[in-house]
Amino acid sequence: MMLEVRKLTSHYGRIQALKGIDVIIEEGELVALVGANGAGKTTLLRTVSGVQPASAGAIWFDGRDITRMAADKRVAAGIAQVPEGRQVFGPLSVEDNLRLGAYRRKGENPAGDLERIYTLFPILKEKRNQAAGTLSGGQQQMLAIGRALMSHPRLLLLDEPSMGLAPLLVAEIFKTIQELKKLGTTIFLIEQNATAALSVADRGYVLETGAVVLADSGKALLTNEQVKQAYLGM
Amino acid sequence: MLASFLQFVFSGITVGSIYALCGLGFSIIFNASHVINFAQGEFIMIGGMATVSLVALGVPLPVAILLAILATMLVGFALEKFAVEPARKASVTTLIIITIGASIFLRGIAQELWDKNFHKLPPFSGDQPFLIAGASLMPQSLWVIGVTVVVIVGLGWFFNRTLEGKAMLATSFNTLAAQLVGVNTKKVLLMSFGLSAMLGAIGGIVITPITFTNYETGIMLGLKGFSAAVLGGLGNGMGAVVGGLIVGIAEAMAAGYFSSAYKDAVAFIIILFVLFFMPSGLFGKSGTERV
Ligand SMILES: Nc1ncnc2c1ncn2[C@@H]1O[C@H](COP(=O)(O)OP(=O)(O)OP(=O)(O)O)[C@@H](O)[C@H]1O
Ligand SMILES: [Mg+2]
């Protein structure tokens, strides 16, 4: 098992955002987690990345308990996150953003990795000397994904990568996600765009107000009546 | 006429260099934490006083300088670790008040450890002035200016060319994203205090042969460095340098053409003017990626 989240709870002050979450991700899987606004999706990813403390429960990664591990050490251990809203380093150049993605691997020459990212997203190569803040939303999303890949993650966490993008770009981002899966990256994909996410996912979870209410294969969830009504607008 | 003008410019650039170094210290900590570290001036004082003491103990000047810088950096680290870090969840205002408390504390210690007297260092390479168009330029002024230039170039290299420097900048632009790429943002905060302490100490050491130093030196130098940083736009490195030179030169002109009684008022007038009429300073915050 690559990631195992057990009975995880987390709070913002007195507000409980996660109410005992159980999630399992096997090596090589693409797992989607869908849920409405405020369900706790981002909080779950933040807790897995270690930028939000867990109140109780446990997170295991690669057979290690990482519940209390510092965020920077989790990156070194192989967990990378593409955060909600992209969060690129606006005033820094595109290439500097990518280089910072490889921050935990400082000793190594990232030239080969940069080329790999530029092959995946040619537009980033074209704009590599521009400030990241001047990129369009779609380009910033590609940059955020590229930056996360620079750390050679074993587990890639994606928080609503399609948010705010035009349909054509959404399709492109999803195509990239499928390519990454083919290359062997384990992916945990958070989405409000449930149709798209569940169609590409091996398995899926449905989150409601801080708790998992459904867990099944992606296909099964797509045809589940409850899911259809609540998230697929059918 | 020209000679005296030139004389004021020389002395303005010399003290302005120290304000610039101090202003850079304010900016680096501000970028890393949004805290205005009012103990920045004490770094200047500690650097100067420690060097004086070590030299008095018979330590050769270059070694004394190095040790004094290291000691000041340790004070910087300790300030972050024991005063700022434990209160990191508190509001920025609280943190600023903590740094004011720390500055008073450090002055108290300095007064106990040393005394209230003024102390001096010999000029690094004699006191035979160079005469330029009738104005005299002391060799120590050249030391001050030269060292400041070297420090600024070094900082520029660090922030624009090294991964560690870029990680510090990245932390100031977006702390969450910096954490997510694996930057230890706590360490960045610690580093920023160490770096600022180093800048303060260097400034304090090179200026001591000119202005002398005592336990209270840091108050005025700190405030002037602060006005330099505010004038240049808090958080903007190049702005702090330009701001430092402007404050230094304006002060030298005011002292030269009016009365030295107005000298210290200049910095305060600049602070008030900036706060009222251009709160983001001359260069705003946009240029932070260039130091
Ligand atoms: N910084 C915060 N302080 C207090 N409460 C928060 C904070 N962030 C999130 N919350 C609350 O925690 C709950 C879960 O929020 P979270 O951001 O994880 O939801 P989400 O599923 O990612 O929503 P969205 O689809 O809008 O991104 C919500 O009720 C939200 O109001
Ligand atoms: Mg969210």
Side-chain angles (χ1 to χ4, degrees):
Chain A
M1 225 171 307
M2 176 150 280
L3 181 77
E4 184 177 2
V5 172
R6 266 194 249 137
K7 300 205 166 36
L8 188 69
T9 65
S10 186
H11 292 76
Y12 294 103
R14 250 185 260 125
I15 304 168
Q16 182 166 18
L18 301 180
K19 301 171 181 164
I21 305 269
D22 289 294
V23 165
I24 284 173
I25 299 175
E26 301 283 353
E27 177 138 26
E29 267 192 319
L30 197 177
V31 175
L33 181 136
V34 299
N37 267 324
K41 307 183 295 295
T42 298
T43 308
L44 175 58
L45 279 203
R46 286 170 54 85
T47 315
V48 171
S49 279
V51 292
Q52 161 77 18
S55 326
I59 305 168
W60 288 71
F61 178 69
D62 256 348
R64 264 202 292 173
D65 183 353
I66 59 161
T67 318
R68 305 273 164 247
M69 191 187 264
D72 57 301
K73 298 224 172 66
R74 297 190 202 196
V75 178
I79 300 179
Q81 186 188 146
V82 179
E84 185 174 71
R86 316 161 194 13
Q87 316 286 348
V88 297
F89 302 115
L92 294 182
S93 72
V94 166
E95 188 148 314
D96 279 348
N97 270 265
L98 291 174
R99 282 179 192 282
L100 280 165
Y103 179 78
R104 294 303 302 210
R105 302 171 36 244
K106 355 188 173 218
E108 302 163 51
N109 181 1
D113 291 321
L114 280 173
E115 271 321 307
R116 201 166 60 99
I117 304 297
Y118 288 149
T119 316
L120 200 58
F121 304 115
I123 187 73
L124 295 184
K125 182 165 194 175
E126 217 172 282
K127 309 222 161 189
R128 64 174 178 238
N129 293 321
Q130 282 189 27
T134 64
L135 300 185
S136 71
Q139 292 162 355
Q140 289 193 12
Q141 190 64 61
M142 293 172 196
L143 178 56
I145 294 174
R147 184 179 64 187
L149 291 174
M150 287 294 286
S151 70
H152 287 189
R154 306 203 44 227
L155 172 64
L156 182 64
L157 310 171
L158 294 158
D159 195 346
E160 302 207 37
S162 75
M163 187 169 60
L165 299 186
L168 219 61
L169 278 169
V170 174
E172 195 173 329
I173 296 285
F174 273 93
K175 210 180 83 206
T176 309
I177 293 172
Q178 283 171 292
E179 270 171 43
L180 292 173
K181 177 189 156 63
K182 273 204 207 95
L183 293 171
T185 314
T186 309
I187 299 171
F188 190 25
L189 170 64
I190 304 285
E191 267 295 342
Q192 280 200 45
N193 186 345
T195 322
L198 293 173
S199 327
V200 299
D202 298 311
R203 290 187 303 109
Y205 291 88
V206 177
L207 195 67
E208 261 174 32
T209 56
V212 171
V213 291
L214 279 172
D216 211 330
S217 72
K219 270 206 201 76
L221 286 176
L222 268 176
T223 53
N224 180 301
E225 282 306 321
Q226 225 180 316
V227 176
K228 271 189 183 168
Q229 278 188 2
Y231 303 101
L232 307 180
M234 292 183 227
Chain B
M1 193 54 211
L2 177 69
S4 57
F5 175 78
L6 213 53
Q7 190 68 61
F8 302 148
V9 171
F10 288 161
S11 83
I13 292 178
T14 305
V15 287
S17 296
I18 305 306
Y19 303 160
L21 289 179
C22 184
L24 278 169
F26 274 106
S27 287
I28 288 168
I29 289 180
F30 180 79
N31 278 342
S33 62
H34 292 115
V35 171
I36 297 167
N37 170 34
F38 279 108
Q40 187 64 35
E42 274 54 53
F43 295 151
I44 300 180
M45 176 271 290
I46 294 169
M49 293 294 277
T51 310
V52 169
S53 294
L54 287 165
V55 167
L57 288 174
V59 180
L61 185 65
V63 181
I65 289 175
L66 218 62
L67 290 176
I69 292 174
L70 288 177
T72 312
M73 287 175 76
L74 282 182
V75 173
F77 288 138
L79 173 63
E80 197 280 336
K81 200 84 206 153
F82 301 117
V84 175
E85 172 79 36
R88 216 161 48 106
K89 295 241 164 67
S91 72
V92 165
T93 320
T94 309
L95 289 171
I96 291 171
I97 292 168
I98 287 175
T99 69
I100 295 175
S103 77
I104 296 169
F105 174 75
L106 289 172
R107 280 200 295 278
I109 299 267
Q111 192 188 324
E112 288 305 314
L113 193 61
W114 294 297
D115 51 37
K116 292 189 176 184
N117 299 328
F118 275 91
H119 298 269
K120 57 182 256 188
L121 278 176
F124 297 172
S125 39
D127 46 13
Q128 197 60 48
F130 303 97
L131 286 176
I132 299 168
S136 63
L137 183 60
M138 300 304 284
Q140 191 62 29
S141 287
L142 289 179
W143 271 104
V144 171
I145 297 164
V147 165
T148 304
V149 168
V150 168
V151 167
I152 291 168
V153 170
L155 281 179
W157 172 81
F158 177 68
F159 282 113
N160 291 309
R161 294 275 174 272
T162 71
L163 194 62
E164 248 358 283
K166 282 177 188 166
M168 279 184 86
L169 282 182
T171 304
S172 75
F173 295 140
N174 191 325
T175 310
L176 171 69
Q179 283 178 297
L180 290 177
V181 298
V183 176
N184 182 343
T185 52
K186 273 191 195 172
K187 199 183 87 188
V188 165
L189 197 56
L190 191 64
M191 290 273 296
S192 73
F193 274 81
L195 194 55
S196 298
M198 184 181 88
L199 297 183
I202 291 174
I205 293 165
V206 291
I207 200 73
T208 295
I210 299 175
T211 60
F212 306 164
T213 183
N214 83 341
Y215 78 107
E216 278 186 337
T217 314
I219 302 178
M220 223 25 121
L221 287 175
L223 277 168
K224 289 175 184 172
F226 177 62
S227 68
V230 169
L231 177 60
L234 251 183
N236 182 321
M238 215 57 227
V241 173
V242 174
L245 293 177
I246 293 177
V247 174
I249 291 172
E251 192 179 281
M253 296 292 166
Y257 287 116
F258 301 103
S259 149
S260 56
Y262 296 134
K263 199 184 90 182
D264 293 337
V266 169
F268 294 100
I269 291 168
I270 288 176
I271 291 185
L272 291 178
F273 182 83
V274 172
L275 291 182
F276 278 119
F277 298 109
M278 39 178 198
S280 56
L282 286 175
F283 304 97
K285 222 196 155 273
S286 58
T288 15
E289 71 274 21
R290 301 270 145 212
V291 159

